[in-house]
Amino acid sequence: MSRIKTFNLPDLGEGLTEGEILAWLVKVGDTIELNQPIVEVETAKAAVEIPAKWAGQVQAIHHPEGTTVEVGTPIIAIDTDPGAGPLEAPSTTATPSSDLPTPSAASLAAVEVAPAEGMIEPGLIGGAAPGGRTAVLVGYGPRTTAAKRRPRKGAVPAQAVAAPAPVTPTPPPVATPVAAPAQNGRAATTTGGVLAKPPVRKLAKDLGVDLGTLTGSGPLGSITREDVQQAASGASVVVAEPIAATTAPSFGADREQRIPVKGVRKLTAENMSRSAFTAPHVTEFLTVDVTRAMKALDRLRGRREWRDVRVSPLLLVAKAVLLAVQRHPMVNSTWAGDEIVVKEYVNLGIAAATERGLIVPNVKDAGRLSLRELADALTDLVQTAKSGRTSPAAMSGGTLTITNVGVFGVDTGTPILPPGESAILAFGAVREMPWVHKGKVKVRQVTTLGLSFDHRIIDGELGSKFLRDVGDFLTDPEAALLAWT
């Protein structure tokens, strides 16, 4: 049996057929362990780290960073028994073994961590993998490396680095390897890749301490309560360097820049085009006085059990949508050709603008969550999206979406439906405006809602009633809760 195993780009799920190599986490000659992250790949939905299926020594890297490869394409060759002596020189350049099936995400997820990695202290989140990285499953782990800017088409790849020559007259001819990126030495700035028990993470959140800026003094380098308290008291701590700003546009002699359409942007374009020209869109608008809702938020923030919770107007909008769905279930449905599929569960999508483009992760079964649970879920969703760690699973299965365009200072919009959904709500900026209140013109806090819906499923009456209910809740949330629940 051949010592050289060819690792093909695995099926990452969700119907994805290709991925772009963002960064190699290993280089030719490196000794790697089972389940060690070896490459970061960007798909149309997320950037994921792929772990090694075998332990051994890297013999060849077949594609440089910035290359888009199809699922099943060989990307790396691994010598699974480097201690057995020099490799026999093959007659031709190493090619992928035809009898090796393409590993799937499920098969990779089933790979166990090698015993040499040791056990993680009970309660720690994010066990250490070789090289100090966090051992993660495909598509579900924290990203601890900064995304690299990909070269344009035609750019010259990084200079190849040869594997260490074995003691033999003829070195083994293998596919041209590519140098791995140099480490920048910066500490991680997100809390997903550090070791800390849940109570410690809660304490850090309560005290406003970023775990990513601390150096742990506990077992395996984990963050302890004392580390967090020391940071909160202003004592000397190790602070991570800020991430470099986005590179400025580079224009050619013709003063034009050509940006390849790929990854999230490509998927978004395809989805929006398909939705816009498949589902007949109708958009309605409603301007409402949300002064009472904003005061309710202030009272909520003042309660002791809510002082450590992120409370924003989006939370009340999400709650309003979930209650309105209970009153009008047809809004939470999908057009399936010869039938309409009405869903009892609500996977509430929240549109998020990221450096990689527009993504819409969703809160699973949001209608079953309490207000506090919903607040925590929204906070986690937004923070994960901003850090670029949203998994493909978190962006699939959405049933109804909110787009908070108000954060950009605009009043509302005419959003396009995500494919498979029948309604999307645009939440505009909350502004102080003159408003007739109790027969007098007063300055009130006002916002405008825009509801786009699939007219094949939702007619004008249903869409109007749903939007009116969302507006009624935001106008007087306490009264709506008493009346509807």
Side-chain angles (χ1 to χ4, degrees):
M1 184 175 179
S2 175
R3 290 164 44 184
I4 301 298
K5 301 291 187 181
T6 301
F7 189 98
N8 300 338
L9 181 66
D11 175 8
L12 300 175
E14 306 299 332
L16 302 176
T17 60
E18 63 181 18
E20 180 182 355
I21 296 176
L22 282 184
W24 282 104
L25 309 179
V26 296
K27 62 182 181 294
V28 171
D30 281 358
T31 298
I32 60 175
E33 298 184 29
L34 183 67
N35 208 45
Q36 176 179 339
I38 57 175
V39 64
E40 184 179 26
V41 175
E42 181 181 45
T43 69
K45 289 190 174 184
V48 298
E49 289 181 352
I50 299 178
K53 192 177 180 181
W54 308 284
Q57 185 180 66
V58 178
Q59 287 297 306
I61 291 176
H62 297 303
H63 300 280
E65 294 175 3
T67 304
T68 298
V69 296
E70 296 182 355
V71 169
T73 301
I75 58 174
I76 189 172
I78 300 173
D79 181 357
T80 57
D81 191 12
L87 289 167
E88 295 182 1
S91 58
T92 59
T93 302
T95 56
S97 176
S98 59
D99 60 348
L100 289 176
T102 301
S104 65
S107 65
L108 287 176
V111 176
E112 296 181 355
V113 178
E117 296 201 20
M119 298 298 293
I120 304 303
E121 181 182 344
L124 289 179
I125 298 176
R133 305 182 60 79
T134 302
V136 298
L137 300 183
V138 174
Y140 293 90
R143 294 177 58 194
T144 57
T145 57
K148 305 290 189 302
R149 289 287 171 185
R150 278 80 72 196
R152 302 180 187 177
K153 288 184 177 180
V156 179
Q159 183 178 359
V161 176
V167 184
T168 177
T170 305
V174 294
T176 303
V178 179
Q183 300 296 322
N184 59 16
R186 289 174 181 159
T189 57
T190 62
T191 61
V194 299
L195 290 173
K197 293 182 179 180
V200 176
R201 292 178 179 269
K202 176 65 166 56
L203 176 64
K205 182 179 179 181
D206 295 345
L207 300 179
V209 175
D210 181 2
L211 293 179
T213 65
L214 305 184
T215 298
S217 61
L220 298 177
S222 61
I223 306 296
T224 65
R225 293 181 62 89
E226 291 71 21
D227 296 331
V228 174
Q229 291 168 345
Q230 182 183 36
S233 66
S236 175
V237 294
V238 177
V239 181
E241 297 179 16
I243 297 176
T246 303
T247 305
S250 176
F251 296 100
D254 57 359
R255 301 174 66 189
E256 295 178 348
Q257 181 184 20
R258 299 183 183 275
I259 302 174
V261 178
K262 60 176 69 175
V264 172
R265 188 176 297 277
K266 181 178 181 180
L267 180 66
T268 300
E270 293 172 350
N271 286 343
M272 293 300 97
S273 297
R274 183 169 71 252
S275 177
F277 295 105
T278 301
H281 285 57
V282 173
T283 305
E284 292 186 334
F285 305 96
L286 179 65
T287 302
V288 293
D289 177 2
V290 295
T291 305
R292 288 185 177 179
M294 296 302 103
K295 290 181 178 179
L297 285 179
D298 289 338
R299 292 195 297 273
L300 197 60
R301 294 186 187 104
R303 296 184 65 88
R304 181 174 19 176
E305 61 270 30
W306 280 80
R307 289 176 184 170
D308 303 323
V309 181
R310 178 179 174 81
V311 179
S312 70
L314 179 62
L315 173 62
L316 288 188
V317 174
K319 187 64 176 179
V321 166
L322 295 171
L323 289 176
V325 166
Q326 293 179 8
R327 292 166 57 82
H328 310 284
M330 186 67 75
V331 172
N332 188 50
S333 59
T334 297
W335 181 269
D338 56 352
E339 62 183 2
I340 296 172
V341 181
V342 183
K343 299 164 184 176
E344 182 183 15
Y345 59 91
V346 181
N347 292 341
L348 185 62
I350 304 296
T354 71
E355 291 185 359
R356 298 176 59 243
L358 176 69
I359 63 173
V360 188
N362 60 78
V363 178
K364 307 298 184 185
D365 213 357
R368 293 183 178 271
L369 302 180
S370 67
L371 189 63
R372 171 62 185 267
E373 291 170 336
L374 183 60
D376 291 338
L378 291 175
T379 298
D380 181 68
L381 179 147
V382 172
Q383 291 178 345
T384 301
K386 287 182 177 179
S387 65
R389 295 185 289 110
T390 303
S391 69
M395 292 184 280
S396 64
T399 64
L400 188 65
T401 294
I402 299 172
T403 175
N404 185 10
V405 297
V407 297
F408 304 111
V410 300
D411 293 327
T412 191
T414 56
I416 297 177
L417 293 167
E421 299 183 22
S422 62
I424 179 172
L425 180 75
F427 173 41
V430 177
R431 304 182 186 279
E432 289 189 342
M433 298 179 63
W435 192 265
V436 178
H437 178 67
K438 296 181 179 180
K440 296 182 180 180
V441 177
K442 297 183 178 180
V443 175
R444 306 285 287 181
Q445 291 178 287
V446 176
T447 191
T448 300
L449 307 172
L451 178 71
S452 292
F453 52 86
D454 186 341
H455 214 0
R456 297 173 299 180
I457 302 174
I458 303 172
D459 58 23
E461 179 185 11
L462 177 57
S464 299
K465 286 182 176 179
F466 177 83
L467 183 59
R468 179 69 264 174
D469 279 357
V470 174
D472 285 348
F473 180 91
L474 295 177
T475 299
D476 193 343
E478 291 98 334
L481 284 172
L482 290 174
W484 299 346
T485 59

